[in-house]
Amino acid sequence: MASNSNEGSSNPPSGTSAPSTPSTYQVAGEIEGLPALGLVVQLNGAEEVAVGADGLFSFSTRLTSQASYAVTLKSGPIDPRQRCTLSGAAGTVGVVDVRVRINCAALPLRYAYAQAFDVDSSTLTTSNMRMLSYPIDAVSGELGATPIPNAMPAFDLGQSFVLHPAGRWGYVVTQEYASSGGPPTPTGGYRVSQYDFGVDGSIRASSLAALTWTDPVSTTGGRQLVVHPSGRFVYSVGWRLDSVAQVVRSMDLRVMQVDPVTGALSSAGSMEFAGGSGLLIEPSGRFAYSYSAPVITGSATPPNDTVVVYRIDSATGLLSRTAEFSAGLTGPAVFSPNGRFAYGVRLTGGSNPIIQLKSYSLDGGTGVLSEIAGSAITLAYAPSQLIVHPNGRLIYAMSTDSGIRAQRFAVDGKTGKASALTDRLPSPAPDFDPQGLRAYVLESDLGTAKTGLRVYQVDPTSGALTPGTFRPIGDAPSQGAPGPIYTFFTRYLLGI
């Protein structure tokens, strides 16, 4: 008897086919506009994904055709000035992958602030410390002709002033002095005072108590204030000097937490660390850096070329040392807005130094910077400041050597490598609006012999600045007979 060929077989009967696996589709997206570091998106209330530094994201969960999807923002950008909106974020899956777009933009500038104080031409003493608030037109970016009234408090002449990124509070650190009939002498005491910035342009000393402390080390240098990109923490960095060698021995770091409602500061701790550069925080707020510390004594102080990496605790703001590496940084450094790259100045060669601008890539897991091969650019002068355009594709190297001037560099968005542009700009340091279309500069107008604020239109490709309206503040300082001195800064303000 012949056997049945289908007996014991898993093959389907003739004329039928095995059931097919339903096709599945990916849900992914990208950021448009400004980088949104710290942004976390969620799919259907379940899977969460952090948006990468390149602005791309994708979910591992795949959906079948006709399945519903909804992408939401689980947490917003770390920068409190940014707002993000979704498009194509909800619907029904078809027969192609789903692409969601997130547009992120910064809130518009509301005011430009000019810090001013007068200098007596005979005694060189300062007086009439004040802050002036100039409204910025939301459409044209032009400055108002006159400052906002009542925006001139008796502002402390502090060692450092910072504005909170939300634009509602400012902080000033001052050193305490004692006088017993002779010249004032520092007591080792410090005070951080708070100022409240209103949506009407007003600036008022806060009624909240200042945060105070005493540095136990008798010989100290100045102090720097640094605000965490999230605005949750403020750091005060003090340079502790060797009284004999007059070089930085170490640095004192004070960590302060910011109350999100009142802006009040509370002490979170302190630490001593090696370094001479101050404190540099990358845009995501996960890592901090110190570098350029002279070797004095002991193994705790790194060599000149050593950069020390600290991981920042997101809950407390405290720093823990995690790595160190040689990056050849001895001058100013700055990060790209998306946090993927960094740029720094290297000086070598003693009395006739070789000055170079170098490009680095950032390891997002460790915080370590790696020099990009072939990126070193020799400069004719030593920059005192590096400024990155908001689009991340331009760098301005500012110098006061032989007159204030700026050299521009183009940045390759994929590799991060900078390349020099041919011309230089005779201009003070620009402060850009969030879109990078306008720059605000404090400068002296030779025609009127006035110091004031000028608005420039910015070419986002070449970085060229076209001068616009000039708003005088006061007389430009004259040689041999000091006049008023003005320091300008502009920041991004939120409505309260």
Side-chain angles (χ1 to χ4, degrees):
M1 181 176 177
S3 64
N4 188 336
S5 62
N6 289 328
E7 186 176 348
S9 171
S10 61
N11 293 331
S14 177
T16 65
S17 60
S20 61
T21 302
S23 298
T24 60
Y25 302 93
Q26 181 190 56
V27 179
E30 63 180 332
I31 299 289
E32 296 178 338
L34 297 176
L37 301 180
L39 190 67
V40 176
V41 291
Q42 190 173 42
L43 176 61
N44 291 341
E47 184 184 356
E48 299 177 8
V49 172
V51 177
D54 57 2
L56 303 177
F57 66 91
S58 61
F59 295 97
S60 61
T61 303
R62 299 180 68 88
L63 303 177
T64 59
S65 180
Q66 300 306 307
S68 297
Y69 71 91
V71 177
T72 54
L73 299 179
K74 175 68 174 180
S75 60
I78 187 174
D79 189 337
R81 298 169 294 191
Q82 290 185 347
R83 296 292 183 270
C84 296
T85 57
L86 293 149
S87 60
T92 302
V93 178
V95 293
V96 294
D97 292 336
V98 175
R99 290 294 177 263
V100 177
R101 297 191 180 278
I102 305 177
N103 184 273
C104 294
L107 294 172
L109 289 169
R110 297 176 62 88
Y111 299 99
Y113 296 94
Q115 183 180 16
F117 58 91
D118 301 330
V119 178
D120 186 279
S121 59
S122 57
T123 64
L124 300 183
T125 56
T126 60
S127 62
N128 195 22
M129 187 70 180
R130 59 199 183 276
M131 291 285 290
L132 312 179
S133 305
Y134 286 82
I136 297 176
D137 187 276
V139 177
S140 68
E142 292 291 343
L143 298 170
T146 56
I148 299 296
N150 304 315
M152 303 179 189
F155 210 80
D156 284 339
L157 182 58
Q159 292 182 313
S160 179
F161 171 87
V162 292
L163 190 66
H164 188 275
R168 298 169 58 187
W169 311 295
Y171 304 98
V172 176
V173 59
T174 51
Q175 188 171 7
E176 303 288 353
Y177 288 86
S179 178
S180 57
T185 56
T187 64
Y190 291 91
R191 180 181 77 252
V192 179
S193 304
Q194 176 182 332
Y195 288 82
D196 297 331
F197 286 63
V199 293
D200 59 353
S202 62
I203 309 171
R204 299 181 177 88
S206 173
S207 60
L208 300 174
L211 184 67
T212 61
W213 71 89
T214 299
D215 191 330
V217 179
S218 58
T219 304
T220 61
R223 295 200 76 91
Q224 170 197 30
L225 286 181
V226 179
V227 183
H228 189 270
S230 68
R232 298 179 60 195
F233 314 109
V234 174
Y235 300 90
S236 177
V237 183
W239 285 261
R240 289 177 170 172
L241 305 180
D242 182 281
S243 58
V244 178
Q246 286 299 303
V247 291
V248 176
R249 180 175 64 81
S250 64
M251 304 195 72
D252 170 64
L253 178 70
R254 302 284 164 158
V255 183
M256 295 163 276
Q257 296 179 348
V258 180
D259 186 293
V261 177
T262 66
L265 300 178
S266 58
S267 178
S270 63
M271 63 179 288
E272 184 176 4
F273 66 96
S277 62
L279 192 69
L280 184 66
I281 301 177
E282 51 84 23
S284 76
R286 293 176 300 156
F287 300 103
Y289 303 81
S290 65
Y291 60 93
S292 295
V295 177
I296 298 179
T297 56
S299 59
T301 303
N304 263 349
D305 283 357
T306 299
V307 177
V308 182
V309 185
Y310 302 87
R311 187 176 293 275
I312 301 175
D313 187 297
S314 60
T316 65
L318 297 175
L319 276 57
S320 58
R321 184 169 178 160
T322 61
E324 63 179 61
F325 58 94
S326 179
L329 286 175
T330 56
V334 68
F335 285 92
S336 62
N338 62 13
R340 296 178 60 194
F341 308 109
Y343 306 92
V345 175
R346 167 72 168 164
L347 287 80
T348 58
S351 58
N352 294 306
I354 298 173
I355 308 164
Q356 292 180 315
L357 175 69
K358 294 188 175 185
S359 305
Y360 303 86
S361 60
L362 171 66
D363 185 312
T366 65
V368 172
L369 301 177
S370 299
E371 185 177 343
I372 298 173
S375 69
I377 302 172
T378 300
L379 306 179
Y381 57 88
S384 57
Q385 185 181 10
L386 296 178
I387 300 172
V388 178
H389 187 275
N391 65 17
R393 297 194 295 269
L394 292 161
I395 300 173
Y396 295 76
M398 313 305 302
S399 173
T400 56
D401 181 27
S402 300
I404 298 174
R405 56 185 176 178
Q407 185 172 352
R408 291 170 291 167
F409 301 86
V411 175
D412 185 305
K414 293 184 178 179
T415 67
K417 185 177 178 180
S419 58
L421 296 173
T422 55
D423 59 332
R424 297 174 181 171
L425 294 175
S427 173
D431 204 344
F432 296 100
D433 70 0
Q435 290 72 35
L437 300 178
R438 303 177 189 90
Y440 300 87
V441 176
L442 175 72
E443 61 183 48
S444 295
D445 184 80
L446 299 179
T448 62
K450 296 287 185 180
T451 295
L453 311 181
R454 189 183 299 278
V455 183
Y456 286 83
Q457 300 299 316
V458 184
D459 185 312
T461 301
S462 69
L465 305 179
T466 302
T469 304
F470 178 78
R471 298 299 187 197
I473 297 175
D475 297 328
S478 58
Q479 195 170 27
I485 297 175
Y486 299 93
T487 303
F488 167 67
F489 49 91
T490 177
R491 294 294 186 267
Y492 314 124
L493 293 189
L494 300 178
I496 300 175

